[in-house]
Amino acid sequence: NSTSTDTLGGRIGSELKRSGISMRELARRIDIAQPSISKWCSNQAVPRVIYLERMAKAVSYTHLRAH
């Protein structure tokens, strides 16, 4: 039985939900078009490493501000 977090897209989507960041907001924060985020979350495309790094920073900063 697989879960949505078994894929990179599932993990990205879960982190967005957990952090309360919308796809549109994440796209703005990491300087990429929103449809790219949607493709990543649905496993239609894979982000380049630079965007993974930017996402990690965007999500961790949100997490830090919440505590």
Side-chain angles (χ1 to χ4, degrees):
N1 293 342
S2 65
T3 63
S4 64
T5 58
D6 288 342
T7 64
L8 179 58
R11 289 181 183 171
I12 293 169
S14 292
E15 282 301 308
L16 288 175
K17 282 183 182 179
R18 185 192 62 76
S19 64
I21 300 174
S22 68
M23 287 186 201
R24 173 177 270 155
E25 177 62 17
L26 179 62
R28 185 190 67 75
R29 290 184 187 188
I30 69 170
D31 194 30
I32 196 166
Q34 188 274 329
S36 294
I37 307 288
S38 180
K39 286 180 181 179
W40 299 342
C41 288
S42 62
N43 295 302
Q44 295 177 12
V46 177
R48 293 188 358 223
V49 172
I50 187 69
Y51 293 114
L52 289 172
E53 292 171 346
R54 291 177 185 179
M55 278 189 281
K57 289 178 183 176
V59 170
S60 67
Y61 291 154
T62 300
H63 178 71
L64 291 174
R65 281 197 308 263
H67 291 90

